[in-house]
Amino acid sequence: MSETHNQPRIIHGALLTRRRFLTGSGAMVVSVAVLPGLASAATNPKSPPDKVGLDASRPASWIEIHADNSVVIRTGKCDFGQGSIYTAYPQIIAEELEVSLSAIKHVVSGDTDRTPDGGGTFGLLRTNVLNLRKVAAYTREALLDIAAAQWSVPRTSLAVKDGVISGGGKQLTYGDMVAGQALQLTIPVSGELVSFRGLVVEGEPPLKDASQYKIIGQSVPNPIIAEKVSARTTWVADVKLPGMLHGRVIHPRTLGSKLLAAGKLDRKTYPTARTVVVGNLLGVVAQSEWETIQAARQVASGTRWSDWEGLPGSDGLHQYLREQARWDPVPVTESTHNRGNPRAAFDGAPHVLSCSSELPYHKHAPIGPSMALADVAADGRITVHTHTQNPQFLRSHLALMLGISPTKVIIRTYPGPGHYGRSNGGNAGAEAEAVLLSREVGQPVRLHWMRADDLQWSTQSAPAYADVRIAVDKNGKISAYEADHYGPPMQDDRPIGALLAGLPTIDAPVPNHKNPEPVQGMANFMADGWVYSAVENVAERAHSTWQIGQQQSPLDVGLRDHSMRTPTQFQQNFPREVAISEAASLVGMDALAFRILNTQDRRLKNLLTRLRSESGWQERPSPRPDAKASGSTPQPGRGVSVMFRGNGYWVSACEVSVVPDTGLVSVDRVTVVVDTGVVVNPMQLKRQVQAGALMGVSQAMYEEVSFDKSAVTDSDWISYPILKMGDMPQLNVVLAPDPETTIYGQGSEGANALLPSAIAAAVFDATGKSIRRLPMQPDNVKTMLQS
């Protein structure tokens, strides 16, 4: 390489530099240009300039090209079962980088000292992967630029395939290009590393056209499955540290109880155990887990808490929301699809449906309760091993709690229990408590919640109710649609350990909050999944109030809400789609044909037509002519629902059987047809849709958080039931991507919010009775059938 080629060069806004020649190896490492927030504070100017990989204090490397042609990619996103990070991500990066998929040897994800971008694991294919895709494009262009300069040929004369650059009668692999050098490509970014959304890669490097894809679209096996089933995976529960103690927290008796006196600990019976008290946080640590559990039970039995009653009770929840909750402190959010003059259109309409729907609290309920291992060193440095969804965000929360710099906190993430949603948008539950116990005892502490802790003290998906009106003309056209959606906010990210200890956190969801993200405030958002584009008069509004019990609780806790899969849209799509099916019945129309009639959207029409054939749908009005709301004979029914989410369209048909006298509903057969745009990995996407669909069945049929006036009363899988293997329906998932759409398909997010309204419509079809409240447990169904 000549002296000219050693000079720094700008490549589509990125800076390419060469530090020095190496012997025996070489690499290109992609870093960030402007290191905002924590990243700049963490930069160590004395770090070796030729260090390949990532300095523990510099979370800056995205992609590495090594002399042996291997590629390492790094992302701050975590995998908690969806698989996209190990399937779609390598496929997208290999495609953009123009290397074979086998060249990507390693994916590093979710560790704050080893990954660059921050931000939570949401929108994996909708938004997040664009960071890595741009980095790959920058890298490819830089390597081509180096080759053009080195061979003194025009850049446009070069081609690349499978990591081999050719042109001007010459060819070299990427590994050849970087061999013996320490190349650094510095890319522009914006944002804040430890923020809720992390960094965003800026600039517009040329991205590969979808028509040229070779790797995207292939059903590549997920490499982490074999690791898991063969027990080679290190789960978070497997992590052990020298000198580690086991911990348990004795949580308050109610959501507003203060600690009056900790119970006694018999040190003769539990010789290594000790009690830790920080504010209202009461914990026990010991050398063995069994001793810890036994000792914690002894301490709990003698602990005294103050009494508190500030909840309406789950039986009175929706009456409380309608009659006592204040909805005025927060501005109403209008849908971006609102138009026309719905109220005028209702006047004189021949058919008007007015209905209300109610949804309960849902638990995230991971199969394994939350756990974390924290090590607070004598010099104040903190390392936490966990299964959080947003490690950089957790890092900032722990630093805020202790009043230290985030640079002193390292979060390492691992596979953990299956997340049935988003219990861990920042903290999964146990992290802050583990840190506080470790700080007090001066040793690493592995803190594991018990099942009851998780059900009673983790966050929950917010309840909701909605009032809907639909006007329909004699030809089946919707002339007006109006809906008001009510529910508490959905993003309380405060660590429970910090709250109990009385230590600093971000604000609770309150009006005029000072939190950096609007999503952590009190507003309720419109999901804006409106698909009935032929309707000329639309008015949809979202209303919000405080979290239930938050204002009354002296701990500022209450029933803490957090977004779960399809946040807000689950709460808004159910009442909308239930009402659409019932509106079709007003004019004796088939529910599927009614939806086609009221949309102009080509993609949706195509999908509904495909659903008709895939499910064997026969047109007729609902309820079926021989529908019965009484008797012991199973009544068959079928229902349909649609949804738009993440630039993708989802439609489903569900078949059920209902025994009216017992209220028992069986979901027999489900067909889901999905158009999410470009499908990166068909096999993986199908699995994700299947999982989301089963989650939807579980939420529709079984799940509801129960609570009295003081606390959540669910404590196990009996009091909080979920779908079991024997209850699974026959499930048919059809991928039907629109050939003209170039966005990437978004995984399983849509399916859980899609099915409940189709199941409710199927029960309506079978019995002639409206189902407007979840879950459809037998007692609830009997009540609705008898109404």
Side-chain angles (χ1 to χ4, degrees), residues 261-323:
K264 299 291 186 183
L265 177 63
D266 179 1
R267 296 296 298 272
K268 291 183 178 178
T269 305
Y270 306 111
T272 74
R274 55 179 289 192
T275 303
V276 176
V277 178
V278 185
N280 293 294
L281 177 68
L282 171 61
V284 172
V285 296
Q287 290 184 355
S288 79
E289 189 163 22
W290 183 236
E291 181 181 355
T292 306
I293 294 171
Q294 297 288 88
R297 287 175 176 169
Q298 183 186 63
V299 172
S301 66
T303 298
R304 292 189 295 114
W305 301 95
S306 63
D307 293 328
W308 178 79
E309 289 188 346
L311 303 176
S314 44
D315 290 343
L317 171 63
H318 287 94
Q319 183 179 2
Y320 170 86
L321 290 174
R322 284 187 178 275
E323 299 176 0

Side-chain angles (χ1 to χ4, degrees), residues 55 75 94 105 187 259 365 422-423 475 684:
D55 186 299
T75 174
K105 298 297 185 185
I187 59 172
L259 179 63
R422 284 184 180 173
S423 60
N475 298 316
Q684 190 68 19

Side-chain angles (χ1 to χ4, degrees), residues 7-52:
Q7 300 302 313
R9 286 203 291 276
I10 302 296
I11 300 171
H12 300 288
L15 178 66
L16 177 65
T17 60
R18 186 179 65 173
R19 300 292 182 88
R20 65 175 184 170
F21 286 104
L22 301 174
T23 57
S25 64
M28 170 181 279
V29 178
V30 184
S31 302
V32 295
V34 181
L35 301 175
L38 175 62
S40 62
T43 300
N44 180 0
K46 295 181 180 179
S47 297
D50 60 342
K51 186 177 179 65
V52 173

Side-chain angles (χ1 to χ4, degrees), residues 487-737:
M490 294 197 180
Q491 200 80 25
D492 187 350
D493 284 311
R494 299 172 297 164
I496 189 63
L499 289 171
L500 295 179
L503 295 173
T505 68
I506 63 172
D507 286 349
V510 294
N512 304 315
H513 66 97
K514 297 178 181 177
N515 295 331
E517 291 284 341
V519 72
Q520 294 159 335
M522 200 166 154
N524 195 355
F525 297 93
M526 277 304 308
D528 279 346
W530 184 252
V531 295
Y532 299 104
S533 50
V535 181
E536 297 178 351
N537 300 291
V538 180
E540 265 195 302
R541 297 169 287 266
H543 310 257
S544 186
T545 186
W546 279 273
Q547 296 179 109
I548 308 302
Q550 174 189 325
Q551 290 178 287
Q552 294 81 10
S553 168
L555 305 180
D556 195 24
V557 174
L559 290 166
R560 293 187 305 132
D561 299 323
H562 206 286
S563 57
M564 199 154 65
R565 185 176 286 167
T566 54
T568 305
Q569 191 154 20
F570 183 91
Q571 287 82 355
Q572 295 173 0
N573 203 63
F574 177 78
R576 176 189 295 166
E577 283 298 292
V578 164
I580 292 289
S581 290
E582 292 188 29
S585 72
L586 289 181
V587 289
M589 278 194 67
D590 176 80
L592 192 153
F594 183 74
R595 286 168 167 82
I596 292 177
L597 178 67
N598 283 287
T599 187
Q600 298 168 333
D601 193 305
R602 175 184 57 82
R603 289 175 68 186
L604 179 59
K605 286 186 175 183
N606 289 343
L607 223 54
L608 284 166
T609 302
R610 181 73 178 270
L611 178 68
R612 181 186 287 151
S613 60
E614 294 287 349
S615 67
W617 187 276
Q618 300 294 318
E619 284 199 12
R620 62 166 172 79
S622 281
R624 57 185 302 123
D626 53 348
K628 293 179 180 175
S630 62
S632 57
T633 304
Q635 300 295 310
R638 55 84 191 274
V640 59
S641 64
V642 309
M643 193 173 66
F644 176 80
R645 181 174 178 79
N647 298 318
Y649 291 80
W650 305 71
V651 300
S652 71
C654 294
E655 297 175 24
V656 305
S657 54
V658 186
V659 180
D661 284 355
T662 63
L664 184 64
V665 178
S666 299
V667 182
D668 301 322
R669 184 167 176 257
V670 173
T671 302
V672 180
V673 185
V674 182
D675 166 18
T676 59
V678 175
V679 177
V680 179
N681 186 322
M683 178 171 61
Q684 190 68 19
L685 177 58
K686 262 193 172 183
R687 290 170 176 167
Q688 292 172 342
V689 176
Q690 290 167 345
L694 293 178
M695 178 176 177
V697 175
S698 185
Q699 289 180 287
M701 304 304 301
Y702 305 103
E703 299 187 39
E704 177 178 17
V705 176
S706 298
F707 54 93
D708 57 20
K709 293 185 180 301
S710 299
V712 173
T713 53
D714 297 318
S715 59
D716 50 38
W717 294 124
I718 296 174
S719 51
Y720 189 83
I722 61 174
L723 182 75
K724 297 187 283 293
M725 296 288 283
D727 301 321
M728 288 173 54
Q730 180 185 341
L731 184 56
N732 178 32
V733 173
V734 180
L735 305 182

